[in-house]
Amino acid sequence: MAMATHSHLPKRRRVCPAAGAPIDELPDELLFLVLDRVAAADPRALKSFALASRACHAAESRHRRVLRPYRADLLRAALARYPTAARLDLTLCARVPGAALSSAPVPSLRAVDLSRSRGFGAPGLAALVAACPALADLDLSNGVDLGDAAAAELARARGLQRLCLSRCKPITDMGLGCIAVGCPDLRDLTLNWCLGITDLGIQLLALKCNKLRNLHLSYTMISKDCLPAIMKLPNLEVLALVGCVGIDDDALSGLENESSKSLRVLDMSTCRNVTHTGVSSVVKAVPNLLELNLSYCCNVTASMGKCFQMLPKLQTLKLEGCKFMADGLKHIGISCVSLRELSLSKCSGVTDTDLSFVVSRLKNLLKLDITCNRNITDVSLAAITSSCHSLISLRIESCSHFSSEGLRLIGKRCCHLEELDITDSDLDDEGLKALSGCSKLSSLKIGICMRISDQGLIHIGKSCPELRDIDLYRSGGISDEGVTQIAQGCPMLESINLSYCTEITDVSLMSLSKCAKLNTLEIRGCPSISSAGLSEIAIGCRLLAKLDVKKCFAINDVGMFFLSQFSHSLRQINLSYCSVTDIGLLSLSSICGLQNMTIVHLAGITPNGLLAALMVSGGLTRVKLHAAFRSMMPPHMLKVVEARGCAFQWIDKPFKVEQERCDIWQQQSRDVLVR
């Protein structure tokens, strides 16, 4: 039978590729938008995009602004491949030889981060400065071997605006003087823990670098002699003097004749030689201060509270760990009516009467931290929730006298909350139901809350779509149903802690695998979790960077195979007490960016298997092992691994697999805090 022809139907027109808009012909602006979307979903997909065509390859080369190589020997090729990169992040390279920093000129490179790298010295820095004429931002934190010779080479980077030298202890005033003379455009300088720096170096710095805005001198040996010079810096906005033992009342009293109208942020926390007298002196010298940190510094007296009247613009006051004397807190409420943030964490002497008075005065308070204030009750909580309707952050961890009824007031009255920490509290499901009214929550910490269950979490999952971080540590009433509701209702989730939630199974991990932005997963002490669930996480959560599966006894080599294949963003893992063997560990070591690994009490690991994995894992910077392995492995091989920049931490703990009951652990933790 002949086939009928449908001549009455219009002919289907054949569209050739050239008739549309081939990707090769799209302008860079559109290609870059596509690349931004691709990178946000899965950074590894950029490589696939670049392989699509020559035009895609060229566009991806022009688009990339940040380079983060896994190994130093890839640096030269990466710079050649991406000539327009502006930032070079070498934090994944534990060891960067000086020769690796010597390359052809890279005129576009403006920022370099070497904060976690070793192996280079003054010659390497000289090569880096010569190759990057536009260098403006350099982080050399933890450069414990960098001294004055290295500082002299840095002085050649005339355009340097931000320099971080934290813990570069060999640098002295001579090296700092070179930097001060050679880099007059410095805006941001960090010298924390530079123990060779004294007043002389800081005085020269203040003389030559008058464009400084941020100066961090924490834990240095400076004293009163350099403070007047610092206060004369015309553009200084941020000054950090944390833990400076040479800063005392005498040093601060010399500032009474000085005045810095530009200073906005002052951090004198842990300056234990400062009393309320010194605080009164410094307050007079900085009339435009916006933020003041006096944590663990001195007793808060009534006279000290009164002196804050001289800071009418003060918005942030941090007094963590301080002892409040009579009326000290009350006068803060009278003097600091402009406060937006108040931190009273771990303070003593805080009462319901004083705290209620303070919050009644601070109508515009946005952030409040009263962690571990165990003497306050629902009276304070009622005052906080009735007075501070604009709160976006509330931290009340371990405030043990708050009742479940009091906690419900938070959800009913503070609907603008974005961050809430009520760890170790009497929170129940009705409280979670009330908290579901805080639809803007992005961080919720409700660990060690023994009275919550899946029914309460269901309300959070349905009402808080912006949640990014949730902590359910040791909340024993949580099971798969509650976790599933969170995973389904909170697609933006980035971090979740389910440690010692012993009722959860692989079903929870399967639901969490749909949260594509998840980067931190803590499931320590969950015995029903297996490699089946972990494999789902590896496949679905490609951005996973931190994983803790300690005491997940059913996780074995299969889980490691999936991690090695899909979790290329993994940086930190704890495998203690798991069922992983040499094969799984060796498979895991193929992840180039893996830096931190804890593998204590792995019965399936042998010295030879461990050594093989360590030799293959070129990016490791820290490994925690049982001390028994130390004598079983050749010392010269361990030195080879250490020479690449890996530090070993040897743990001598007995093998222990039983689970701690949540209620016993809770009581023990409270006893420790009380002491």
Side-chain angles (χ1 to χ4, degrees):
M1 186 174 181
M3 185 178 292
T5 59
H6 302 278
S7 57
H8 61 284
L9 294 178
K11 292 184 178 180
R12 183 177 297 172
R13 189 174 64 168
R14 183 180 179 185
V15 180
C16 65
I23 195 169
D24 292 2
E25 297 180 7
L26 291 177
D28 280 352
E29 291 79 5
L30 291 179
L31 282 175
F32 289 173
L33 287 175
V34 172
L35 283 164
D36 288 337
R37 292 289 186 92
V38 171
D42 184 359
R44 297 187 307 117
L46 291 173
K47 183 176 181 180
S48 300
F49 181 94
L51 295 175
S53 69
R54 290 184 178 180
C56 290
H57 187 276
E60 199 268 336
S61 296
R62 295 191 301 271
H63 174 265
R64 186 74 67 92
R65 294 292 180 266
V66 179
L67 298 183
R68 200 179 189 192
Y70 292 124
R71 303 196 313 268
D73 58 319
L74 301 175
L75 179 56
R76 187 180 296 272
L79 291 172
R81 168 79 171 82
Y82 301 102
T84 61
R87 179 176 178 81
L88 176 60
D89 184 347
L90 292 167
T91 55
L92 295 180
C93 303
R95 192 166 187 83
V96 180
L101 298 175
S102 176
S103 60
V106 189
S108 65
L109 208 58
R110 293 183 53 81
V112 178
D113 190 343
L114 285 158
S115 60
R116 297 184 180 180
S117 305
R118 300 280 188 87
F120 60 90
L125 290 177
L128 177 66
V129 170
C132 305
L135 189 63
D137 185 340
L138 182 59
D139 193 339
L140 297 173
S141 301
N142 307 304
V144 293
D145 299 322
L146 300 179
D148 290 340
E153 298 299 338
L154 294 178
R156 301 178 187 274
R158 300 285 298 178
L160 207 59
Q161 296 184 10
R162 179 183 179 275
L163 177 62
C164 186
L165 297 172
S166 292
R167 288 171 289 280
C168 295
K169 297 180 181 180
I171 292 180
T172 68
D173 292 336
M174 183 178 295
L176 183 58
C178 293
I179 293 172
V181 173
C183 306
D185 289 335
L186 273 178
R187 266 76 163 176
D188 189 333
L189 179 62
T190 301
L191 298 170
N192 298 342
W193 288 105
C194 291
L195 302 181
I197 301 297
T198 68
D199 295 323
L200 180 62
I202 300 302
Q203 288 171 335
L204 180 58
L205 177 74
L207 179 65
K208 295 294 183 180
C209 300
N210 57 15
K211 295 181 182 179
L212 273 173
R213 294 178 182 172
N214 302 327
L215 182 58
H216 300 263
L217 301 173
S218 301
Y219 302 102
T220 58
M221 305 306 295
I222 62 170
S223 66
K224 65 179 182 179
D225 293 339
C226 70
L227 287 185
I230 292 174
M231 299 298 284
K232 286 185 173 68
L233 284 167
N235 300 299
L236 190 65
E237 297 178 358
V238 178
L239 176 61
L241 303 171
V242 181
C244 291
V245 295
I247 302 299
D248 53 19
D249 289 347
D250 182 44
L252 298 176
S253 64
L255 298 179
E256 292 185 355
N257 297 324
E258 304 290 341
S259 179
S260 174
K261 295 183 179 180
S262 63
L263 197 63
R264 299 291 185 267
V265 179
L266 177 61
D267 190 345
M268 294 197 307
S269 55
T270 326
C271 288
R272 301 189 182 276
N273 295 324
V274 173
T275 69
H276 66 277
T277 303
V279 173
S280 299
S281 298
V282 76
V283 162
K284 296 176 183 177
V286 285
N288 295 320
L289 207 63
L290 300 178
E291 179 176 333
L292 178 61
N293 191 339
L294 298 172
S295 300
Y296 302 99
C297 186
C298 58
N299 294 338
V300 181
T301 63
S303 61
M304 178 174 162
K306 291 178 182 179
C307 80
F308 291 137
Q309 291 179 347
M310 290 179 281
L311 300 175
K313 299 179 181 178
L314 191 66
Q315 296 184 5
T316 299
L317 181 59
K318 298 181 179 181
L319 298 168
E320 298 175 14
C322 291
K323 182 178 181 179
F324 282 86
M325 312 305 287
D327 293 331
L329 184 56
K330 184 176 181 180
H331 281 289
I332 288 176
I334 297 173
S335 303
C336 306
V337 293
S338 298
L339 277 186
R340 299 292 186 272
E341 179 177 355
L342 178 62
S343 180
L344 303 174
S345 173
K346 301 177 183 178
C347 291
S348 60
V350 177
T351 65
D352 280 332
T353 302
D354 289 345
L355 185 57
S356 298
F357 176 80
V358 168
V359 296
S360 69
R361 302 270 302 182
L362 305 180
K363 299 294 186 180
N364 298 317
L365 200 64
L366 297 178
K367 297 183 179 181
L368 178 63
D369 186 350
I370 50 175
T371 297
C372 293
N373 278 270
R374 297 187 178 278
N375 293 324
I376 58 177
T377 68
D378 286 348
V379 173
S380 291
L381 197 54
I384 292 168
T385 56
S386 62
S387 301
C388 306
H389 298 293
S390 300
L391 276 180
I392 61 173
S393 175
L394 179 61
R395 301 176 62 87
I396 54 175
E397 175 185 354
S398 297
C399 293
S400 52
H401 290 305
F402 288 162
S403 69
S404 56
E405 291 78 11
L407 293 170
R408 292 171 199 166
L409 297 175
I410 299 172
K412 293 177 180 178
R413 298 175 177 176
C414 302
C415 59
H416 299 293
L417 276 177
E418 298 174 9
E419 177 187 16
L420 178 61
D421 186 349
I422 45 180
T423 302
D424 187 12
S425 70
D426 200 35
L427 183 71
D428 58 13
D429 287 338
E430 286 299 316
L432 282 178
K433 182 179 180 180
L435 288 177
S436 65
C438 304
S439 60
K440 297 180 181 180
L441 273 177
S442 62
S443 176
L444 178 60
K445 297 186 178 181
I446 48 177
I448 326 177
C449 293
M450 307 304 175
R451 299 181 62 190
I452 64 174
S453 70
D454 295 334
Q455 297 306 310
L457 277 188
I458 289 174
H459 296 292
I460 298 297
K462 289 181 178 179
S463 304
C464 302
E466 298 181 23
L467 198 66
R468 286 172 167 78
D469 176 17
I470 185 167
D471 188 341
L472 296 163
Y473 177 79
R474 289 187 184 272
S475 295
I478 301 302
S479 69
D480 293 330
E481 183 183 1
V483 177
T484 299
Q485 289 294 330
I486 292 295
Q488 292 176 350
C490 309
M492 309 295 288
L493 198 66
E494 297 176 2
S495 173
I496 185 168
N497 188 345
L498 295 168
S499 295
Y500 299 105
C501 294
T502 54
E503 299 301 314
I504 68 168
T505 70
D506 288 335
V507 174
S508 289
L509 298 196
M510 292 175 185
S511 61
L512 288 171
S513 67
K514 306 299 188 296
C515 300
K517 294 189 176 183
L518 192 71
N519 60 60
T520 300
L521 176 62
E522 298 181 62
I523 47 176
R524 172 185 301 203
C526 297
S528 298
I529 294 292
S530 73
S531 289
L534 186 58
S535 64
E536 295 290 336
I537 290 291
I539 295 171
C541 306
R542 302 296 182 90
L543 300 181
L544 189 67
K546 180 180 178 181
L547 177 64
D548 187 345
V549 291
K550 178 180 179 181
K551 293 188 177 180
C552 292
F553 310 113
I555 288 182
N556 54 28
D557 292 342
V558 175
M560 301 305 102
F561 297 154
F562 277 90
L563 288 175
S564 64
Q565 185 175 358
F566 297 104
S567 301
H568 296 279
S569 298
L570 195 63
R571 302 288 177 263
Q572 179 177 332
I573 189 168
N574 188 341
L575 294 172
S576 300
Y577 293 92
C578 293
S579 300
V580 177
T581 70
D582 292 343
I583 298 174
L585 192 62
L586 193 60
S587 174
L588 193 66
S589 64
S590 65
I591 300 176
C592 298
L594 189 61
Q595 293 181 304
N596 193 321
M597 189 159 54
T598 300
I599 43 179
V600 181
H601 293 308
L602 282 180
I605 300 296
T606 67
N608 288 337
L610 175 59
L611 187 59
L614 293 175
M615 295 301 293
V616 173
S617 303
L620 286 175
T621 59
R622 186 180 184 86
V623 178
K624 188 181 293 187
L625 291 165
H626 195 275
F629 278 105
R630 194 168 195 172
S631 60
M632 300 179 188
M633 301 169 67
H636 68 281
M637 299 299 287
L638 290 178
K639 289 181 179 179
V640 169
V641 178
E642 289 175 331
R644 293 193 316 221
C646 180
F648 290 102
Q649 183 178 357
W650 303 99
I651 304 298
D652 189 10
K653 287 185 177 180
F655 186 82
K656 184 179 180 182
V657 298
E658 62 270 17
Q659 301 292 321
E660 297 173 354
R661 286 172 49 198
C662 290
D663 53 348
I664 295 176
W665 184 91
Q666 183 184 29
Q667 185 59 50
Q668 290 174 343
S669 67
R670 287 181 175 176
D671 291 343
V672 170
L673 287 170
V674 168
R675 294 189 193 123

